[in-house]
Amino acid sequence: MTHSSTSPTTTPEAPKLKNLALYRYATWLEENQLKRTAVWIAVAAAVLVRWTVGLGPYSGQGVPPRFGDYEAQRHWMELTIHRPIQEWYSDKSKWWDLDYPPLTAYVSWICGFVGAKINPDWFAWETSRGYESADAKLYMRSTVLVFELLIYISSIVVFTQRWFAHKPWTRQHTALLLILLQPGVILIDSGHFQYNTVMLGLVVWAVNFFLSDQDVLGSVAFCLALGFKQMALYFSPAVFAYLLGKSFRQGFFGCIWKLIKLGLAVVLTLGLLFSPWMQSKEEALQVVHRIFPVFRGLYQDKVANVWCAVNIVIKLRERFAIQDLVRFSTLATLLSFLPSLVHLIAKPTKRGLIYGLINSSLSFFLLSFQVHEKSILLPALPITLLILDEPAMGAMFNTLATFSMFPLLRQEELTTQYYILLGLWVWMTTGTFNNVSSLLKFLSAVSFHLFDLYISLVFLNSYNSIRTPLANNFFTHFPSIIS
Amino acid sequence: MQTSLFVLSTVLKVLLFPTYHSTDFEVHRNWLAITHSLPISQWYIEKTSEWTLDYPPFFAWFEKFMSIFAAQVDPKIVQVDNLNYDTLATIYFQRTTVIISELVLFWALQRMLTVMGNRPLQKIINWSLMLNPGLLMVDNMHFQYNGFLYGILVHSLVDAKQGKLLRSGILFAALLNFKHIYLYIAPSYFAFLLRAYCFENSGNSIRARSWISAFRPLNFLALGVSVIAVFAASLGPFVAMNQLPQLAGRLFPFKRGLTHSYWAANFWALYSFADRIMIVLVSKTPLGQYFNLALDESALSATTRGLVGDTAFGVLPTVTAQHTLILTVLLQIPSLISVFRKPTFDRFIGSVVLSAFASFLAGWHVHEKAILLCTVTMSVAIANQVGASPNSGVNAGAFSTSDQKGSSALTPRDVRAFMIVSLAGYIGLWPLFFTRPETPIKVLITAIWFVVIGSGLDQCIPKQPKSNNSLLSSKSMLRYFSILERLYVFGCIPVQIYVNIVHEAVFGQDRLAFLPLMMTSVYAAVGVVYGWLLYSATYFSSNKVLDKKKTR
């Protein structure tokens, strides 16, 4: 993955566009003068898929005492509508502390406010902990979908329009459909239950603004993304380098003026988001402590992918102190995105920006400390945006990204949705299975699952246990794969 | 082969696994149990569950075949007394059998594509049928095996198109023994096969004198013996066991009322609605005394309370089963005569559509699901026509295609009738899904289908050189629709917003619960009746049945 690869990729693995059923569909639309309706059809289809996935169980459904991410989000709605704003981050109820930045809290407040109008029981203070009902699930699912529609899906529509502005419409529409049907995002947000698409959508909106040279607006959008989920920091080196490099090309005064504008935009946006907690130092620190548990010195024994791979050969945690590991991983992360940072400052092109986003987020995902398996959605986003520019990489990466989340999804009994969406993705990106290598790739993934399924069925019958033994053995021996 | 269609339809159907399933799910589970665990002699006797076996014997055998696998998956599925068993494994198994059985439809559609001419129009119809919102809702959500059965029907129709009439007849006879609802269209089959297969068929009318010389006794014998053989295979064992009356009682429960629990979108929906209006007029205004109308008090709560049973009317005369039968036959006869005069496939398929309509509109205790019979056969009728292809210029699709001999060009009227009937009929299916999570699904699949298929068919209408330019300059998919038709299409939106959202917000779940159902049924009934009139007008004007003799 080099950012200098501006030439159209014609790697042998890349499928020919005509092989893609979606491309043929886009051609049909164009021949029948349906370009205007096509976007609405695509959005409707994307919503339909998300909604049907949402019929499945969510994270921690019916699993007391702590439940899961669904309960966390529901509790934040309960918290924000019942407590004064100053207490949001200092609530001591020991029940799913709010540990996301303020924009998440504001969004939770909106959802809670509207939800409590429909049925106050869903978000009643303290009594609603672990509240589960079909209607509450329905409401929560629809809030995710509404925000996704307003922020993420709209951003993708605009992105494809700007990115493919000088390319044939059929390419633009194919890319739109592919990006909207990327399986990872659907499975995590509409299945597992999270609001990642708000953050991802804001990042794409930032990219959209950068594409049309509205850098100030782009910075505001990116700060909003940061203000929704701190994980957007994975992208920040690239955004920073792009804007800095662009400022340097404006001449001396132009550069100063641009930096002042951008700095003001960042400070004002973040300041506005955090303003309720700015009255005293303690409050501000409390917010920061919650959002970045790093400062509390609390490290969970979760190691990211490269460390997990190394761990098989060298038992890192036995040989090194945890503090050393933190320093080492941070240094490694910095080193790994540094070249791309320098390159982006020297040559701040729009294409380079997206490659930079990939590099920096992938560096964080692979090398930084305390990474969740769901964080793979971050590098997956810019990689998916380049789905027609780097088709082989985009198809492959998303397949593996979704595969890496399989243990999580199986635990939540979303396996059917997983198989279907992953199969759909592989089929959509390889065109037909005529291509032998793509078929082999898919079959190898499927055969792993089938083997796993077989083992679990055999053991299920003999031991009557719900957890699948292979998964347990496999993932206790290699624990870091699944966090 | 249309791989994309296959992949996408499978993906969507599997994603629909967790959706709401109706009591029909338990019906079919119970049938799996009955056919697996009991001897044949008990199949139509057994009544542990209230959902007794009420499909013909072939379907029972089909269930028995599936129960072999069901017993492997989970032996509890096939226990007769294990009522309302719906574990996740059971749901996955039964939903999978539906998807697999619908491969029969996929196969039939691939045959239809080759036989009818592999063109954009035919491809669109294939997409329309395989991803049909009606079939998706009824089969993959509500739970039934219609895709499989319509697959057999399409096979039979394709055989008829190919001229393989004997096979077509045998397939249809078998179909009747899978599900007897297809009796609705049996008259058309009878008229067509009798005339086209048992008489000399030179494509012309036969003069009165030469009927006897045109008769082909060998064909008649072949057809008769095969059809009787099919029925014997199906009903024979039960005749031998003296169970025929019991079987007939199960298949034709005449104790049921005129309308289903909520009204199917047919004449009787409109009739019942008119009755309701008149009840209000008579009881609330002095009009009743003025016209000296009496009110049947017992009827006031009957029709709209969702009770299955005798339907009573307040003001209008009561309708009996005999009335509906006579009306149905009267409505079917004109198209049957048309087929009998000149048994072309064009006339035959049109007559099948009109027979389906007649039964749906005027039949006794019609299910809203029976609309599929109209829309599926209409789809085949459209696939049989010649459409324009967007690549080949202005005059594409004119009558030059040699492989489409005898087929007429697709007209705007066909498309309008088809789209309006489909829209009305599928919206008429929406009340089957009263659970909230299914609401977005039923709306989205119907809306996406309407826009994609409507636009696709619109582009397939061959452009007439002489038609006025205002139509052609518009790119809207509704450009051929009249003002009233457009109003109807867009009117669905406010009506359904009221039915699905506003009503419950204003009145709550219990008060005036019949009102949204009635609105949906009546609105849908208007569309279906209108589409039927439009289709009939096209059929009889293009076939020139009435002025045939004058032109000679």
Side-chain angles (χ1 to χ4, degrees):
Chain A
M1 189 191 332
T2 57
H3 20 251
S4 56
S5 72
T6 43
S7 61
T9 45
T10 46
T11 48
E13 279 191 47
K16 289 192 184 67
L17 266 182
K18 274 182 196 167
N19 283 344
L20 298 186
L22 292 181
Y23 183 77
R24 293 198 300 269
Y25 164 70
T27 315
W28 178 79
L29 288 171
E30 192 179 42
E31 281 169 357
N32 289 289
Q33 298 153 356
L34 292 174
K35 285 190 202 174
R36 269 187 308 165
T37 2
V39 176
W40 296 105
I41 299 169
V43 171
V47 171
L48 177 64
V49 170
R50 282 159 171 78
W51 189 265
T52 48
V53 169
L55 296 171
Y58 49 77
S59 157
Q61 181 168 337
V63 192
R66 291 290 282 173
F67 301 94
D69 277 347
Y70 172 88
E71 172 59 20
Q73 301 282 354
R74 195 209 56 74
H75 173 67
W76 295 346
M77 296 176 193
E78 171 200 336
L79 173 81
T80 48
I81 58 170
H82 288 291
R83 296 282 99 186
I85 199 163
Q86 269 77 22
E87 289 178 28
W88 286 2
Y89 284 94
S90 49
D91 182 64
K92 301 251 184 321
S93 54
K94 304 269 177 208
W95 183 263
W96 293 109
D97 287 340
L98 177 56
D99 54 5
Y100 279 9
L103 192 55
T104 292
Y106 300 141
V107 166
S108 296
W109 182 84
I110 296 174
C111 297
F113 182 78
V114 177
K117 294 268 180 237
I118 301 172
N119 186 346
D121 294 348
W122 295 343
F123 305 108
W125 180 240
E126 290 195 330
T127 55
S128 68
R129 293 197 183 157
Y131 186 95
E132 289 186 312
S133 81
D135 279 345
K137 174 185 172 184
L138 192 70
Y139 175 71
M140 297 285 280
R141 291 277 197 216
S142 34
T143 59
V144 174
L145 204 55
V146 166
F147 278 104
E148 180 163 6
L149 198 59
L150 290 178
I151 297 175
Y152 181 73
I153 294 183
S154 65
S155 74
I156 300 295
V157 170
V158 174
F159 172 82
T160 50
Q161 282 167 358
R162 294 194 179 164
W163 188 249
F164 296 95
H166 305 294
K167 298 267 174 58
W169 179 86
T170 41
R171 285 181 76 90
Q172 175 192 327
H173 198 67
T174 312
L176 174 69
L177 290 164
L178 284 171
I179 299 172
L180 287 182
L181 291 175
Q182 193 247 65
V185 168
I186 303 176
L187 287 169
I188 291 301
D189 272 27
S190 302
H192 169 86
F193 200 91
Q194 276 191 345
Y195 293 83
N196 291 302
T197 41
V198 177
M199 183 265 286
L200 297 175
L202 286 168
V203 171
V204 179
W205 272 114
V207 171
N208 289 343
F209 288 127
F210 293 144
L211 286 181
S212 57
D213 290 311
Q214 294 159 306
D215 292 341
V216 175
L217 279 176
S219 313
V220 171
F222 188 71
C223 288
L224 288 175
L226 277 175
F228 189 83
K229 210 168 179 178
Q230 61 273 45
M231 217 104 79
L233 275 174
Y234 283 18
F235 293 125
S236 53
V239 175
F240 170 76
Y242 171 77
L243 291 176
L244 192 68
K246 226 179 148 188
S247 306
F248 285 164
R249 313 191 137 211
Q250 311 269 318
F252 182 71
F253 289 107
C255 172
I256 301 284
W257 172 232
K258 191 165 176 89
L259 285 178
I260 289 174
K261 275 196 298 185
L262 293 174
L264 269 179
V266 171
V267 170
L268 282 179
T269 314
L270 289 179
L272 208 63
L273 285 176
F274 284 90
S275 57
W277 300 276
M278 287 298 183
Q279 283 158 12
S280 73
K281 199 182 166 192
E282 289 82 51
E283 278 181 4
L285 273 178
Q286 172 65 20
V287 175
V288 176
H289 273 267
R290 276 283 178 82
I291 298 172
F292 299 102
V294 188
F295 294 132
R296 284 185 288 177
L298 187 140
Y299 296 107
Q300 293 156 23
D301 53 351
K302 294 172 179 171
V303 191
N305 271 353
V306 164
W307 307 126
C308 128
V310 174
N311 202 45
I312 298 169
V313 187
I314 311 164
K315 296 293 172 210
L316 289 168
R317 274 178 296 172
E318 292 161 21
R319 289 202 181 183
F320 300 99
I322 204 95
Q323 288 294 337
D324 293 337
L325 283 179
V326 175
R327 283 192 201 119
F328 187 62
S329 66
T330 313
L331 190 69
T333 313
L334 279 172
L335 277 178
S336 83
F337 68 67
L338 203 62
S340 112
L341 203 73
V342 173
H343 181 271
L344 203 53
I345 294 175
K347 210 177 163 190
T349 61
K350 285 162 186 166
R351 181 170 290 270
L353 168 68
I354 298 190
Y355 283 97
L357 290 175
I358 299 175
N359 278 336
S360 72
S361 56
L362 213 49
S363 304
F364 275 100
F365 178 77
L366 291 175
L367 295 163
S368 76
F369 213 77
Q370 207 187 7
V371 172
H372 266 273
E373 73 275 40
K374 281 167 278 176
S375 309
I376 202 155
L377 293 182
L378 281 109
L381 175 77
I383 290 178
T384 316
L385 292 182
L386 291 180
I387 187 69
L388 287 191
D389 302 75
E390 298 275 5
M393 177 183 76
M396 199 57 188
F397 187 87
N398 276 308
T399 310
L400 291 175
T402 315
F403 176 63
S404 77
M405 293 185 288
F406 176 67
L408 173 82
L409 296 166
R410 178 182 39 201
Q411 199 185 336
E412 285 156 13
E413 292 170 7
L414 285 164
T415 33
T416 314
Q417 287 83 353
Y418 163 84
Y419 285 121
I420 285 298
L421 288 190
L422 185 60
L424 179 68
W425 175 258
V426 172
W427 173 75
M428 284 192 308
T429 48
T430 49
T432 57
F433 286 124
N434 294 343
N435 186 336
V436 178
S437 70
S438 69
L439 184 63
L440 281 178
K441 260 184 290 173
F442 182 65
L443 285 182
S444 57
V446 168
S447 56
F448 169 81
H449 288 312
L450 286 180
F451 180 64
D452 183 56
L453 194 70
Y454 171 74
I455 298 281
S456 64
L457 280 177
V458 169
F459 279 75
L460 260 177
N461 287 341
S462 46
Y463 294 118
N464 199 20
S465 86
I466 292 179
R467 294 285 296 192
T468 51
L470 177 68
N472 281 347
N473 294 334
F474 187 80
F475 291 113
T476 41
H477 290 149
F478 309 99
S480 350
I481 294 179
I482 51 160
S483 78
Chain B
M1 203 179 83
Q2 295 173 301
T3 325
S4 328
L5 174 57
F6 173 71
V7 172
L8 287 180
S9 66
T10 312
V11 163
L12 184 57
K13 286 167 186 178
V14 176
L15 282 178
L16 291 176
F17 272 5
T19 50
Y20 157 86
H21 55 82
S22 73
T23 47
D24 273 359
F25 180 82
E26 168 62 10
V27 169
H28 286 278
R29 195 219 44 87
N30 185 42
W31 294 357
L32 285 174
I34 290 176
T35 51
H36 188 266
S37 315
L38 298 175
I40 304 173
S41 55
Q42 291 300 308
W43 285 2
Y44 288 93
I45 311 278
E46 161 63 36
K47 52 176 183 181
T48 309
S49 163
E50 62 177 313
W51 311 115
T52 53
L53 182 53
D54 59 5
Y55 274 24
F58 278 1
F59 199 87
W61 287 107
F62 173 60
E63 294 275 2
K64 185 168 178 62
F65 172 70
M66 291 191 296
S67 71
I68 300 170
F69 304 98
Q72 296 293 317
V73 172
D74 180 357
K76 285 184 189 153
I77 298 177
V78 291
Q79 283 175 20
V80 176
D81 53 357
N82 192 13
L83 299 183
N84 292 318
Y85 186 69
D86 59 350
T87 58
L88 210 57
T90 316
I91 293 175
Y92 273 48
F93 171 75
Q94 287 192 223
R95 292 243 192 243
T96 310
T97 58
V98 173
I99 296 183
I100 294 174
S101 74
E102 284 179 348
L103 291 181
V104 174
L105 176 63
F106 186 71
W107 174 27
L109 292 178
Q110 298 314 306
R111 276 190 66 209
M112 188 166 89
L113 196 61
T114 357
V115 171
M116 306 278 191
N118 190 346
R119 288 168 178 281
L121 175 63
Q122 282 75 29
K123 283 184 184 161
I124 290 168
I125 290 298
N126 276 13
W127 280 83
S128 153
L129 281 176
M130 203 60 196
L131 284 168
N132 191 286
L135 281 175
L136 286 173
M137 282 191 280
V138 175
D139 280 14
N140 303 97
M141 293 166 73
H142 179 88
F143 201 86
Q144 280 192 355
Y145 290 90
N146 290 293
F148 164 65
L149 300 168
Y150 282 106
I152 302 176
L153 177 65
V154 173
H155 270 301
S156 166
L157 290 172
V158 170
D159 280 339
K161 169 76 178 176
Q162 279 183 308
K164 295 171 179 164
L165 300 185
L166 184 60
R167 203 164 81 185
S168 172
I170 293 171
L171 272 178
F172 186 73
L175 182 62
L176 284 177
N177 284 295
F178 272 103
K179 191 170 177 180
H180 47 306
I181 194 178
Y182 295 96
L183 278 172
Y184 282 179
I185 54 174
S188 295
Y189 261 94
F190 179 76
F192 176 68
L193 290 178
L194 182 67
R195 174 64 182 82
Y197 190 71
C198 303
F199 284 92
E200 198 81 32
N201 184 13
S202 58
N204 293 320
S205 304
I206 302 169
R207 286 176 197 161
R209 274 182 307 182
S210 53
W211 276 105
I212 295 167
S213 61
F215 185 64
R216 294 195 291 185
L218 277 181
N219 280 7
F220 180 75
L221 209 64
L223 186 62
V225 167
S226 337
V227 170
I228 289 169
V230 171
F231 275 87
S234 164
L235 302 175
F238 300 96
V239 174
M241 290 181 289
N242 268 331
Q243 284 187 3
L244 207 54
Q246 169 70 12
L247 179 62
R250 284 282 176 86
L251 296 191
F252 303 100
F254 269 110
K255 285 166 287 181
R256 294 178 181 178
L258 171 67
T259 48
H260 192 43
S261 52
Y262 72 89
W263 311 338
N266 60 9
F267 287 157
W268 310 123
L270 298 176
Y271 191 80
S272 308
F273 178 62
D275 185 61
R276 290 283 118 180
I277 296 286
M278 289 175 77
I279 288 175
V280 174
L281 288 180
V282 169
S283 54
K284 298 276 163 69
T285 64
L287 275 176
Q289 291 166 346
Y290 187 74
F291 287 109
N292 202 13
L293 288 171
L295 197 59
D296 182 0
E297 295 291 338
S298 66
L300 286 183
S301 59
T303 350
T304 47
R305 293 292 178 224
L307 300 172
V308 181
D310 277 334
T311 313
F313 291 101
V315 180
L316 293 175
T318 303
V319 179
T320 66
Q322 285 78 11
H323 295 155
T324 63
L325 187 66
I326 292 166
L327 189 58
T328 309
V329 170
L330 280 179
L331 290 177
Q332 286 185 339
I333 281 178
S335 73
L336 300 183
I337 293 174
S338 152
V339 172
F340 208 79
R341 276 175 179 274
K342 194 177 172 189
T344 62
F345 182 75
D346 270 20
R347 288 188 173 200
F348 167 56
I349 186 70
S351 155
V352 169
V353 173
L354 289 174
S355 297
F357 265 119
S359 313
F360 179 80
L361 289 171
W364 181 258
H365 194 81
V366 173
H367 277 246
E368 60 290 330
K369 285 159 252 164
I371 190 67
L372 283 170
L373 198 53
C374 305
T375 57
V376 172
T377 49
M378 265 178 123
S379 307
V380 178
I382 287 186
N384 180 44
Q385 289 173 314
V386 185
S389 68
N391 294 325
S392 42
V394 183
N395 291 321
F399 303 91
S400 56
T401 41
S402 54
D403 57 329
Q404 294 272 310
K405 207 185 284 178
S407 297
S408 56
L410 185 68
T411 64
R413 246 196 216 175
D414 295 319
V415 176
R416 277 155 54 204
F418 176 65
M419 293 312 291
I420 287 175
V421 169
S422 300
L423 182 69
Y426 300 152
I427 286 181
L429 293 174
W430 285 5
L432 284 175
F433 307 97
F434 47 84
T435 44
R436 292 198 191 93
E438 278 69 26
T439 306
I441 299 176
K442 68 188 182 188
V443 174
L444 280 172
I445 54 177
T446 311
I448 297 175
W449 179 89
F450 186 81
V451 172
V452 174
I453 301 302
S455 312
L457 288 180
D458 172 75
Q459 291 294 325
C460 282
I461 296 170
K463 290 168 185 65
Q464 306 293 326
K466 286 176 188 172
S467 67
N468 56 4
N469 292 325
S470 63
L471 281 180
L472 289 177
S473 60
S474 157
K475 282 176 183 170
S476 155
M477 60 173 282
L478 299 177
R479 58 186 160 166
Y480 291 112
F481 284 54
S482 72
I483 302 282
L484 275 178
E485 290 164 350
R486 286 179 207 200
L487 263 179
Y488 182 80
V489 170
F490 288 114
C492 290
I493 299 169
V495 170
Q496 288 304 317
I497 286 177
Y498 176 80
V499 166
N500 284 295
I501 302 168
V502 180
H503 182 83
E504 199 185 310
V506 176
F507 294 104
Q509 271 183 309
D510 300 325
R511 282 180 57 211
L512 294 177
F514 72 93
L515 187 65
L517 292 179
M518 186 173 76
M519 282 175 70
T520 305
S521 291
V522 171
Y523 200 83
V526 170
V528 173
V529 170
Y530 176 80
W532 168 68
L533 288 173
L534 202 60
Y535 192 84
S536 305
T538 320
Y539 180 78
F540 289 111
S541 66
S542 66
N543 285 338
K544 297 195 174 53
V545 184
L546 301 174
D547 53 4
K548 187 84 191 167
K549 279 175 186 164
K550 288 174 193 166
T551 52
R552 278 213 155 196

